[in-house]
Amino acid sequence: MTAPHLAGATLPAPAHLPGASYTLVGYEVTDHWFTVPLTHGLIFGKDKDAATEHPLAHETITVFAREIVNTDKTLALPPEKRPYMVYLQGGPGFGSPQPLNDGGWVGELSKTHRLVLLDQRGTGNSSPLSVKTLTGRGDTQAQALYAELFRADSIVADAEVVRDFLLKDRNDQRWSTMGQSFGGFLTLSYLSFAPESLKDCRMTAGLAPIRAHVDDVYRHTYARMAERNKEFFEWYPQDAELATHIADHLRKHTEILPTGERLTPHRFQMFGRYLGGNSRVHGLHYALQSAFAEGDDHLSEQFLRAAGDITSFYAQPVYALLHEAIYADGQDSPSPAPTNWSAARVASELPEFAPDAQQLLFTGEHIFPWYFDEDPALTPLHDLAHLLAGKGDWGRLYDHAQLAENQVPLVAAAYEPDVYVDYQHSLKTADFVGNTQVWSSPTHHHDGLSADGVMILRRLENLLANLS
C-alpha cells in the first residue's frame, strides 16, 4: 500500500513485515519492520520534486517499531478497542526505550493505548546512521547527501508509513503522539506536515523554540546552565574549588582516557551532562570526589573511566553530528541555516564558560567543533560535521502558518529550570501554536518523564480533557 504523503510520488513502495510476538512483564509485544523510501521526508521539508530528484531517491531503509499491549484484564478498554499512540523519543540519535517492567510512563500510557515505540531512522534496530555507514558512502559530499535525510521531516514521513500499515483496518486511522524532548520537536513537525493523521498530542520538555534564532536558543541555555552550576556548587561548596583544581591539573599534566586520547580542560567541562536532570545530578559530586583518590599528582582510574563515559560520543555519533541541525529550519524561518557552530560562537561571548575561568563552569547540551578533533568516535566525521555546520539549503522543519492555526489538541509539560529546552522559549511556542495548553513545573528538570512520569502524564491527561 502507499502512504498518503506518497500519493503520486515515484519513489520505492513502502512495505511492512510483522516480526515476533512475545510476552514481557505484563505486556504483549510485537516487533514490526518497515521498508521506507530514503528520501520521502523531503516531500514535507522541501517539495515532492526534491524527494524524487534526489540522487538517492531509489534507495530504501528499514524502520523498526515495538507495539506494546498491556495485558491487565482490569483495564477499561480491551486491547482491540484501544487507540494507537506513537512514542517519539528524545535525541536526535537515540533509539526508543526497551521496557523492562510494567511500570513508569510506558505502563501508564499502555493502560489506555496500544503504544508504538518507534526506533527513529538511524537509531536502535532501524537502519543505523553510524560512522561506518556514513564513511562507507564515499567522500564528504556523498556523506552529507545521506546524513541530511535523517532529520524531523524524514522521521515524520516514516511515522506516516508505520501509521498507514498499523491502522489500515481501523475506522479512525488517526493516532496520538507522545514526545519527550526532541520528540516534542518532532511532534511540532508532525503537526506541521500531517495534522490530519493526529488525534491528539502530548509532550514533555519538548516545546521547541521554533520562533527563535539558534544563537538566542544557546544564549538562554547557557544562562540556565550557569544557574544550574550555581545551584550544584551551593549543594557541594567544596566541589567548586575541586572542579577548578581538576581543570588546572589538566592544563599542566597529560591525563589519558581509556579510549587513548588526552582529557583536556574544555572536554572536562562536558561533565555538565550530569546536571541536565534530577535523577543523575548528584552523580557529578561522586565523580569529582573520586578525582584524586590515588594521590594528588594524577587523576584516578575511577575518575578517568567516568570521564571516558561522559565525554565520548561513541554510542551517539548522530547526536553530535545533527544536534545543531534540529534548529536549522530552512531559509525563510526565524533561524535560517547555516548554524555555523552556534553553541561555540555564543560560548565565545561568555568568558564565565571559558575552561580557564577563575571558577570552572560545566557546559550542557552544546556541541563544539573540537569534539570532532578530540573524540576518536567522531574524528572520522570531522569534515562532514564542518560541512553540515555550513550547510545553507536545509528544508523546512515546521509550517508556521499551519501551527498557528492548529486544531489538534496539544498538551505539554514545560519545566522552568530545564537546561536543555528553555522554559521562556517554550511558553512563546505554546502561545503561537493553536489549541495548546501547558502544565508548568518549577522543580522538574529535563528528565521529568523518567523521574516522575505517571504524575506528569496524569496532569497532561487533565489538560487534554479540557481541550478535547
Side-chain angles (χ1 to χ4, degrees), residues 253-368:
H253 302 86
T254 298
E255 296 282 1
I256 303 300
L257 293 170
T259 42
E261 75 276 20
R262 183 175 182 176
L263 177 61
T264 57
H266 52 256
R267 198 163 173 191
F268 168 53
Q269 289 179 283
M270 292 171 66
F271 271 59
R273 294 170 75 180
Y274 279 108
L275 300 179
N278 280 334
S279 60
R280 66 183 312 205
V281 59
H282 299 288
L284 177 57
H285 167 67
Y286 300 128
L288 296 177
Q289 192 177 46
S290 72
F292 295 103
E294 298 174 3
D296 294 336
D297 60 338
H298 67 281
L299 296 176
S300 70
E301 289 188 6
Q302 179 182 347
F303 177 84
L304 291 172
R305 284 197 302 271
D309 290 340
I310 202 73
T311 68
S312 175
F313 283 95
Y314 177 78
Q316 301 97 22
V318 177
Y319 181 91
L321 187 67
L322 292 180
H323 188 267
E324 285 203 357
I326 69 176
Y327 299 109
D329 184 20
Q331 286 286 49
D332 300 323
S333 72
S335 186
T339 59
N340 279 331
W341 301 110
S342 175
R345 286 188 289 102
V346 173
S348 69
E349 305 169 0
L350 304 170
E352 64 270 30
F353 277 97
D356 58 354
Q358 184 175 0
Q359 170 60 67
L360 183 92
L361 296 183
F362 296 104
T363 55
E365 202 171 55
H366 307 106
I367 303 299
F368 298 94

Side-chain angles (χ1 to χ4, degrees), residues 17 69 76 82 97 119 122 138 201 221 264 296 343 350 408 421 436 450:
L17 179 64
V69 176
R82 293 176 205 153
D119 279 352
C201 300
T221 56
T264 57
D296 294 336
L350 304 170
V408 179
V421 179
T436 300
S450 59

Side-chain angles (χ1 to χ4, degrees), residues 210-230:
I210 63 172
R211 307 289 288 175
H213 190 278
V214 61
D215 290 1
D216 191 43
V217 171
Y218 285 119
R219 289 189 183 97
H220 278 246
T221 56
Y222 277 118
R224 300 291 80 73
M225 277 304 299
E227 293 169 359
R228 187 62 160 164
N229 274 269
K230 181 176 183 293

